[in-house]
Amino acid sequence: MSATLGELALRHGLTLHGDPDVRVSRVATLQSAERDALSFLANPKYRKYLADTRAGAVVLDEDSAADCPVPALVSDNPYAAYARIATELYPEPRPPAGVHPDASVHPEADVHEGAYVGPRAVVEEGARLEAGSHVGPGCVVGRGAVVGKDSRLVANVTVCHGVVLGERVLLHPGAVIGADGFGIAREPDGWTKVPQVGSVRVGNDVEIGASTTVDRGAIDDTVIGARCMLAGMVGVVGHLEICDDVVVTGLSMVANSIREPGIYSGGLPTDEARKWRRNSARFRRLDELARRVNALESTLKKSNDGNGSHD
Amino acid sequence: MSATLGELALRHGLTLHGDPDVRVSRVATLQSAERDALSFLANPKYRKYLADTRAGAVVLDEDSAADCPVPALVSDNPYAAYARIATELYPEPRPPAGVHPDASVHPEADVHEGAYVGPRAVVEEGARLEAGSHVGPGCVVGRGAVVGKDSRLVANVTVCHGVVLGERVLLHPGAVIGADGFGIAREPDGWTKVPQVGSVRVGNDVEIGASTTVDRGAIDDTVIGARCMLAGMVGVVGHLEICDDVVVTGLSMVANSIREPGIYSGGLPTDEARKWRRNSARFRRLDELARRVNALESTLKKSNDGNGSHD
Amino acid sequence: MSATLGELALRHGLTLHGDPDVRVSRVATLQSAERDALSFLANPKYRKYLADTRAGAVVLDEDSAADCPVPALVSDNPYAAYARIATELYPEPRPPAGVHPDASVHPEADVHEGAYVGPRAVVEEGARLEAGSHVGPGCVVGRGAVVGKDSRLVANVTVCHGVVLGERVLLHPGAVIGADGFGIAREPDGWTKVPQVGSVRVGNDVEIGASTTVDRGAIDDTVIGARCMLAGMVGVVGHLEICDDVVVTGLSMVANSIREPGIYSGGLPTDEARKWRRNSARFRRLDELARRVNALESTLKKSNDGNGSHD
């Protein structure tokens, strides 16, 4: 796909500085872009590359426009404008609706005529695929599960029995939605598995990354809500709530409910192994260290009070 | 499935306070249960919801029974009793034994006539599926692997060549059992892969969560033992042993053998990003901080000894 | 496969102490090896088992050879020599080239006649499988992706559209190469997905462990480079570089570029839960603790300066 800057400015409501007939057909970074590529500047960190860019055009904000050596598409939110243009330049090839002959669909599944089921995908009894939904190769949609309108399971995704996906949900390869979490009752003669009878409900417009697992609830459903972003390798324990508008950065364990919007972290950055070992050995005795600091403070306070009494 | 309280009391050895003819067909929390639902009280945290419950009956212990506003099923271990009743109310629909026409089974695999192989499952040469075993859609059972009696691979599970699963093993979607761990011998001109010739043996009644990986041994087998629970995102390095009756909480790295039963942890809970950043920056200099505390203690001791000498 | 010690010494350039006609057919640890097994000693930790070994032969270095009670194959790098011999003793059974009748290959995919495509594998439009490549059961090779010469996708691997794998790449089950990472532009009325138009390029001889995910780049490609080892549960955030010859130990988050070869760590080892809770509670106030140590140092310095003035 390609477009002229004039067309892009018009369609995306941007102010154009420069030749409206320049045509771009792909996106690239400021550093690597050639004349056929559109670039963008949203993070000030990359501003230093602007002066030397050879891009066909750059999407940026008013403040940076003056310094742009090539045509500029000006937006209050250059990253979002870039996203919309890139979506236009890179249309997802969509296979035509229908069930691939190598798919395995249970006769009592309800597959909308506008849905797509790819090769080696499995749709089990009672599952429902709504209009525009896309079940890619190797995906499994379990008994009674629902894939909402225009939702897409990319490949090798597992949606377990009874799970309900909203509209425009995007599940990347290897995601597993609705497996049992551990529910175990201990008894003197062993463990008894507690049936996990809740399900998972995923709201509209949710994107779930590769190989992510979302376990079903033990009794009530696991519900995936609004405008939260959980980065890679984030774990969330059961029986808690995360409010809307929360970001959790990578390698964090959410062990308690989060009731305030904001950014949360739990992952320590790596360090040279030698330094790390020393610090982590100290961590194992951090409580003791804190007690020793308490003791030092008491001693010093006493000694100062004593000194004071001499005055 | 549904049952009367009288039937449940009889079958599960519970004392019933209330009308034996009340019928329940599902389970629910104390807060959300209606008259057709059974609830339970095992965690004192939820006791506050007992007084207002509208459940058909509640499974609880003797101490709480007096305060139960609805029929009560009394047990010494209410959670286990609940688990058994829920198992009865929610029978797993089991497909009839047999090989689905869309499965791919090697002619030299040994599939018991009482086993089930689902659509798009693959069973390779020399694999053995015992009676009552269930290989769900998209699962792969590798060359020479064994799936023991009544074991279940839910969906998109990979059991690699030579792996042996015991009886009643439950593998959730995306689990990978028996892949190679990294074994690499460094040489001046590059790296040489060390063949991973051990396998994995999984004992009876083991449940393995979604997308869990259990690597094969380099020489001896990886063996999964008894009454241990590893929570989500727990990693265990090679060449170590974990004794029976160990629980490891979420996001922990087990880097050394665990020889005493008990609960072990390794994951830090998340915090607001701003606080987290400050604390984790301090962590990078924790060894230095500890040395400074040592120095303070020495200084203070010397100074106090000095002061003492004036007496 | 089996071999005599004489043959092994000759083929692998090793010095043999002992009977060249002894025949070994498998490998085992020093402790468990019987007369038909070859063992090795590379890690000094296991030297204590040498005196009592009943192995058919042991691969070890010159220093240990004198203490070996059984035939010895002497090498400067016993671990690498062991790796080469084990590779010989345990040849990977390779299915003959060809497309399994239960595979699903798009008519416009380019499958070399020397490639193997297993049951239930899917090869999409425009994908290319080079000579000697092996796409195992349940794998998906996306539109336009390339699997280089002699590369192997073990089982249930997903290689997304446009990804390029080099030669002799080994992908273990559940690996997902080329899924979208999160790219999201926030707007007042919601979030806009940023198309992830980069791809993934994996170099020659790269091995990627079970259920590992390698996301595609937002604009430029994600590139997997040379002689790095990332252990289990390592996460790497976007927009950074790791130089060659880096090892990152388990459960670490790489949040910044690594520009020096070496070993890096980020995972804390587990501890008893009770001790852990105390230490991790202190961690949440580590910044405050460090400030208190600063204050103690100031106070003590002032007080010592004061004391000094009395001299």
Side-chain angles (χ1 to χ4, degrees), chain A residues 304-311:
Chain A
N304 282 351
D305 289 355
N307 288 345
S309 73
H310 293 302
D311 292 346

Side-chain angles (χ1 to χ4, degrees), chain B residues 50-74:
Chain B
L50 182 61
D52 293 326
T53 192
R54 294 187 308 253
V58 180
V59 184
L60 37 56
D61 64 17
E62 192 59 55
D63 288 351
S64 305
D67 299 328
C68 186
V70 297
L73 287 161
V74 179

